[in-house]
Amino acid sequence: MAPSGPGSVRRRCRRALYWIPVVFISLLLGWSYYAYAVQLCIVSMENIGEQVVCLMAYHLLFAMFVWSYWKTIFTLPMNPSKEFHLSYAEKELLEREPRGEAHQEVLRRAAKDLPIYTRTMSGAIRYCDRCQLIKPDRCHHCSVCDKCILKMDHHCPWVNNCVGFSNYKFFLLFLAYSLLYCVFIAATDLQYFVKFWTNGLPDTQAKFHIMFLFFAAAMFSVSLSSLFGYHCWLVSKNKSTLEAFRSPVFRHGTDKNGFSLGFSKNMRQVFGDEKKYWLLPIFSSLGDGCSFPTCLVNQDPEQPSTPAGLNSTAKNPENHQFPAKPLRESQSHLLTDSQSWTESSTNPGKCKAGMSNPALSMENET
């Protein structure tokens, strides 16, 4: 076993430091449990009925908060599948080719059968030099995790994890339950907080727990409400935080609504089809994170004609045109809810996920 050098020690120290925010939240949560369940409910509340109701509601919110927080932290971010990695021969070819058109031609050939539509600002194939793979749509490289993350939203220090396709639903529920947790504590603690300032509480250590508990709950409620509201808006528009700051680029140009399918379908893409799982931190998001239905608001003039049964003049957000592209089965069913897709005069063998991407094929020909 090779001895660990200075670089390895630094990496370990850095990884340990990344856990400080998580430890802080855990300690704060532990103190809030003691302050509310013991000092407020058991010590300060005199009405037995009020004690029972508050403790039952509190423990339900506490359990959902901890469950969703745990899932957000320990759900590993998903990385691109093997089909997006270059073969050994393609890597060698890339190393030999200088940066420029020849370099892009190698990437275009490698991406020909992949379900990708987004490009760089210059119109080039999105390629990660560090991971040596073609980036799927909505995938980005995280400098902290040092890997490409599917549908990356952001790297969150409070969970010491990347928030992306695999745990975005858990992150939303974590925000929702933490907000409910703080609002519930502030609301039920308010009358005792008032008593603290009017000298209506007995002179015990519970007084200070009640005061600081209300301040902490009220402060976090304000910050969490704005953050949760922002992410609800992102879900309604089918955007990630990165896409909100920098709109995705397609062949026809930048399109901030390129992935929006309408409010209902946008919600289902994150939470799934079965509503019974929406409020539980159980993975139910649609798709595989590598391919997404797109909604081209400004139709690409180089795109082939729309499939039969698709109304090209529809202006309803639920009925935008969808480009012909190889979508995963779990994602393409979103399109068939309101559109009828039929295949005419095509080879059945090309209907599989590996069929040629028309946009990229045309690019190779020009």
Side-chain angles (χ1 to χ4, degrees):
M1 188 162 143
S4 56
S8 176
V9 173
R10 277 197 301 269
R11 281 194 298 272
R12 286 185 188 139
C13 291
R14 213 164 32 235
R15 281 199 295 267
L17 289 174
Y18 289 153
W19 284 101
I20 290 178
V22 176
V23 172
F24 172 75
I25 292 293
S26 301
L27 291 174
L28 188 63
L29 189 61
W31 167 77
S32 70
Y33 183 89
Y34 170 76
Y36 188 89
V38 178
Q39 296 295 340
L40 178 62
C41 291
I42 296 176
V43 174
S44 301
M45 288 184 182
E46 297 177 351
N47 188 302
I48 300 298
E50 185 184 9
Q51 278 185 347
V52 172
V53 171
C54 287
L55 283 172
M56 287 179 63
Y58 173 80
H59 280 92
L60 176 62
L61 289 174
F62 181 83
M64 297 305 294
F65 177 15
V66 172
W67 186 10
S68 56
Y69 189 45
W70 178 275
K71 292 284 285 186
T72 307
I73 295 172
F74 294 105
T75 299
L76 294 177
M78 286 181 64
N79 312 121
S81 54
K82 289 182 180 179
E83 62 185 318
F84 291 91
H85 290 259
L86 297 184
S87 65
Y88 180 76
E90 288 168 336
K91 290 177 185 177
E92 279 196 328
L93 197 56
L94 266 188
E95 289 174 0
R96 289 201 300 268
E97 296 291 349
R99 292 280 178 174
E101 185 56 34
H103 193 271
Q104 271 297 298
E105 185 59 34
V106 174
L107 293 178
R108 281 197 287 267
R109 285 200 299 269
K112 182 181 54 149
D113 296 327
L114 297 177
I116 58 172
Y117 258 81
T118 53
R119 303 295 181 85
T120 65
M121 292 298 292
S122 62
I125 299 292
R126 297 172 65 242
Y127 177 73
C128 180
D129 290 304
R130 197 157 179 86
C131 299
Q132 293 188 310
L133 56 82
I134 293 171
K135 293 180 182 179
D137 291 344
R138 316 184 81 176
C139 174
H140 298 275
H141 187 89
C142 176
S143 57
V144 180
C145 299
D146 196 24
K147 59 181 70 173
C148 285
I149 308 298
L150 294 181
K151 197 187 174 186
M152 180 178 170
D153 188 87
H154 68 289
H155 187 94
C156 181
W158 298 106
V159 299
N160 190 27
N161 200 2
C162 251
V163 177
F165 176 75
S166 62
N167 63 350
Y168 187 60
K169 177 192 171 184
F170 306 149
F171 178 74
L172 283 173
L173 292 178
F174 158 62
L175 292 180
Y177 286 123
S178 58
L179 176 59
L180 287 174
Y181 180 78
C182 291
V183 169
F184 175 79
I185 288 177
T188 53
D189 188 30
L190 178 59
Q191 59 175 312
Y192 297 93
F193 178 74
V194 173
K195 287 180 180 179
F196 173 85
W197 294 105
T198 56
N199 296 319
L201 287 178
D203 192 14
T204 62
Q205 68 173 27
K207 290 178 62 174
F208 300 99
H209 284 289
I210 288 170
M211 181 184 68
F212 289 118
L213 187 64
F214 180 82
F215 275 130
M219 180 184 65
F220 279 105
S221 295
V222 173
S223 58
L224 285 169
S225 60
S226 59
L227 184 59
F228 179 63
Y230 175 67
H231 277 277
C232 286
W233 176 80
L234 289 178
V235 171
S236 70
K237 299 295 183 181
N238 205 345
K239 294 180 180 181
S240 66
T241 299
L242 293 176
E243 290 165 352
F245 283 98
R246 187 173 61 189
S247 300
V249 181
F250 297 86
R251 277 181 54 87
H252 67 280
T254 301
D255 194 336
K256 64 180 181 180
N257 296 315
F259 291 108
S260 182
L261 309 178
F263 179 78
S264 175
K265 292 177 182 177
N266 293 344
M267 286 284 293
R268 285 163 51 197
Q269 201 169 86
V270 174
F271 290 95
D273 288 327
E274 299 189 61
K275 293 183 180 179
K276 62 183 179 181
Y277 296 125
W278 282 16
L279 299 181
L280 297 176
I282 298 171
F283 184 81
S284 58
S285 302
L286 298 181
D288 57 3
C290 291
S291 68
F292 297 89
T294 60
C295 182
L296 298 185
V297 178
N298 304 312
Q299 182 66 20
D300 186 348
E302 295 187 39
Q303 289 293 330
S305 59
T306 53
L310 182 63
N311 182 4
S312 62
T313 60
K315 294 183 179 180
N316 188 325
E318 292 281 337
N319 294 311
H320 279 313
Q321 294 175 342
F322 293 97
K325 61 178 281 187
L327 284 174
R328 303 292 194 262
E329 204 173 306
S330 54
Q331 283 288 5
S332 60
H333 90 275
L334 282 172
L335 308 185
T336 59
D337 289 348
S338 58
Q339 306 290 355
S340 172
W341 289 75
T342 58
E343 295 290 341
S344 58
S345 63
T346 55
N347 186 340
K350 293 183 180 180
C351 295
K352 298 180 181 178
M355 72 179 184
S356 175
N357 186 330
L360 293 179
S361 297
M362 295 184 71
E363 186 179 47
N364 287 335
E365 293 169 5
T366 57

